[in-house]
Amino acid sequence: MSAASPSTVSEESPRILSRELVLILCVLALVVLLALTALLSRMYHKKIHTLADAMFAQGEADEQAGQVKAALTDYRNALAYNPSNPLFQLHLAKALAAAGRGEEARSYLLNLLSESPGSGEVNLELARIAAHNSSLADAMRYYQGAIYGEWHSDPIAMRWQVRRELCDFLLSRGAVKQAAPEVIALQENTPAGDPARLKIVAQLLLRTQQWNRALEVHRTLLAADPNDEESLAGGAQCAFELGQYVTAMEYFDRLPRERREQPDLAYRYDMTRRIFAADPFLSGLVAEARAQRVAGALALAQTRAENCAHQTGQSLVQSPPQTDLQRVYQQGRDLQQDWAPRYLERFPDRLDAAMAYVFSVENASAAACGEAQGDDRALWLLGRSRSVVNQ
Amino acid sequence: MAAGPQPVCGEPVSEAPVVPVTVPVEAVAPAIVDSPAAGQENVRTRWESWMHAVFTLREDRFFLMLAVVIGVFSGLVVVCFRLAIEWTQITLLGASLSPSFPRVVLAPTIAGIVVALLAIHVFSRVRGSGVNQVKAAMYISNGYVPFGTVIGKFFVCALAIGSGQSLGPEDPSLLMGAGIASLLGRSLRLSQEKLRLIAPVGTAAGLAAAFNAPISAVLFVIEEVIGTWSAGVLGAIVLAAVSSVVTMRAFLGPDSLFRVPPFRLAGPGEVLAYAALGVAGGAASLLLLKWIVYARPKMQALPRWTEYFQPAAAGLLIGLIGIRFPQVMGAGYAIVDQAMHGQFVWQLLLLLAALKLLVTGFSFLSGTPGGLFAPTIFIGAMLGGAVGSIEHHFFPGLTATIGTFALVGIGTLFAGFLRTPITSVFMVIELSGNYTAILPVIISTMIAYGISRAYQKVPLFDLLARQDGLLLPSIEERREMTSFVVEDAMRTDGVLVAEPGEHIVEVARRAEANPEAALLLRMRPGEWWLLDRDDVLRLAPDAARTTTPIHAKSKGPIPYLFRDQGLGEALQVMGDWPVLPVASRADLAKLEGILTLADTLHAFRKTPKEEAE
């Protein structure tokens, strides 16, 4: 205390010394207490982490053994000792979700999400709960979060899997429009040399009616395995829907008969056959055969128009024509002589005009009386495909 | 403003010597150390200089430094206390949240007997509310908290809570903080005034560490222990709370007590949902209050020998309930966390709230030492979760999760039961680390607080103190006591203001016309003098043309007041002056009225009816 003024020292020395001593004792006590607390704390943390890990391991074992209730209790116990452990929380949430207690799981997952908003796993679990609750907007949001989120192991495969799950969910909800871009993204992220995934993509493309892309994927698959039935069937469906009946028939022909007759293919196969039988534009046909096919098509269209007019109570010869059907029918009536089989055979340039008339009649009939069946439908489909080709 | 009002709540004059705090080292130490001996001398000089600076600090500054030390000590002790509870619980009840049958009954029963023996024969002061013990230390025993009570609270409460008694560690923690602070204050021979204030400082440190919530701890001490925002102690309280929380977090981690998913209030309609929770919380807090208020005197009236068995009986009852509902045992924070994550259906939540209310009553009424904070949190969370679940059932569009309702429920019951509304709001935020719930919490807590006040006039801590035969000051009453200001007592008539240049005859004429009026001379803005009426009247008849009031006898300059100043403050300023001017804050030359001692005393005597008029 040499720095203090003499008067201060003389007046206050006992007090200063006393404080000095007490403070030194305080510091000593603090050091001892600190060391003791550190020791106790370390022992405690070691103990509870051991307990928590043991309970967590027990929970996992219970879960694997199918004892969900016991697993839940174990996870809860583990979490009680290590409340901020995200792995414990995630497992508990998963177990809760698996037990159908989505709302309880959701709470933990939201908590985890607030701590790590980019976690793919948490987003995926939340998406599944939202999907289970039929909450389309939430499910989409969380699935997107999972797709673009962080994955610790094999992120590419996980993202692909999540997107696939999203597509399945959307299609199961009938949200084809929302599913279509996701399926395209899935296709873009699928390696060409992975037939298993390509098959999944192809199926999803079929379900979202993206025929061109689906056909492309099926062709890739068939290039690797020309006899793969699913690919042939899928390719046939796509080709049929695209109006590529020759390709469709080629795939149908490569399929076993039993497969062709299955419900998903039978109708298309039947139609393709009918189209093949009616199409006058097929390559390799002689002029006579073409003329006969056109004549047959004209007769069919005529009958279809008459039946439709009868069904709807209108006269095909009404003048002036009021309906599309009347208008189309009357336009072709005056040319009937020119489209006699002999003239068609002699003047092949008339085939196109005659068939255009047939297609117009079929279209007008379909609009007035609903979709045609049988050969009429085959003609209508043929007309539609020709129209697409022309366009 | 030389003669302006003097500070009323200024820093108290230190009892420690006021000497230069630091001596520049350069002035003492040689510039160049050219030998080992000189080096040693240099170190010694520096050390002495530092020691001098520390030990000759003004007491206010020393008090602040001491607050940090108290905080660190309290933090360490609270960490050990919490570890002791956990160890005891694992040892006695097992590691699982659902203890096995023999343990669940035997542990609290046998521990109850040990607790009773310790509380009766070894640590006789461990029973009762820690808050009231701190208040008693502050208002009755000059800040003295026996250190034996700290030791007793530590061991007995750890045993009681760890064995499953439905009590919490916060109340013992705050008393431990106060006890440590008291011991340090006494050892360091602080002044009487500082010794009295040091208990709340320790209280804040203990509570902050127990809750991991420094702001709530500070607010609680202000709301419930001190009752005022005293600038003299606020800094120390904040420092102690912060340092204890930092210490605690160093060992137990920084995580909030509860983790609640964030949420948003979708629209004003949702406010009604929380208002409903406020009503339910108010009713539940009343129920708990009434249950304790009614049963405690009856328990105290039982023969003394029963005290040996009351904790054990409570433990047995709790154990029996715990066979089926182990969630109600102990502090129950893990269960609160589960409730916040929507783990219970509303029926179970309601049942747990009711059972916890019951078993907390058993534990507390049996005289088992421990706090009521944790059970309040538990009941509030369960009730909040139940109300939230029911509301979700009827209004599925509600955006808030069950966890949010549980969280708001905590604050609601806390406000209703402990009657500390501001603390309750901040506690919810700190406990959850989530600010999004603030609006619902405010709405709900205020409703619960209002209901509790309406149907239970005396707050819990005051009631407990009265039942124990202590007449501690009621902080709630003090907080809401009407504070009079100068405006309530001043008069605008009965005063004449003279100007320095005014002819004295004119002044005398006015004085004669108002024989009762005081005569004030306005020398310049902010400088007022009191004129001697008799002298003015004496000078006037023979006054020359140049005679002004300045020539008359006068006293001054006199202090002046403003109309918004407190009357207590005015009394201090008034001293021996018979009258004081009340000036305008906007214009110090403008007189708004005068204040006399008689007017001041009359204002204090006003009845509430008169006041309302």
Side-chain angles (χ1 to χ4, degrees), chain B residues 460-538:
Chain B
L460 173 74
F461 292 119
D462 296 349
L463 256 167
L464 296 177
R466 287 177 197 181
Q467 287 178 353
D468 292 338
L470 292 173
L471 275 177
L472 295 171
S474 170
I475 303 298
E476 189 173 88
E477 284 171 16
R478 182 190 283 190
R479 202 167 53 213
E480 286 151 18
M481 215 165 62
T482 312
S483 58
F484 290 103
V485 291
V486 169
E487 190 177 29
D488 299 325
M490 76 178 195
R491 61 170 67 191
T492 51
D493 55 353
V495 61
L496 291 173
V497 179
E499 302 295 337
E502 195 175 359
H503 194 259
I504 197 156
V505 174
E506 177 57 24
V507 177
R509 191 188 61 73
R510 288 200 285 143
E512 278 177 339
N514 295 285
E516 300 297 321
L519 284 180
L520 289 177
L521 175 61
R522 177 165 42 206
M523 290 296 281
R524 61 178 67 89
E527 187 178 330
W528 300 86
W529 290 65
L530 190 61
L531 284 173
D532 186 332
R533 165 186 284 272
D534 294 340
D535 203 43
V536 169
L537 293 175
R538 184 183 62 77

Side-chain angles (χ1 to χ4, degrees), chain A residues 377-388:
Chain A
R377 178 143 182 92
L379 280 177
W380 180 81
L381 286 171
L382 186 63
R384 200 183 61 167
S385 77
R386 295 283 302 171
S387 155
V388 170

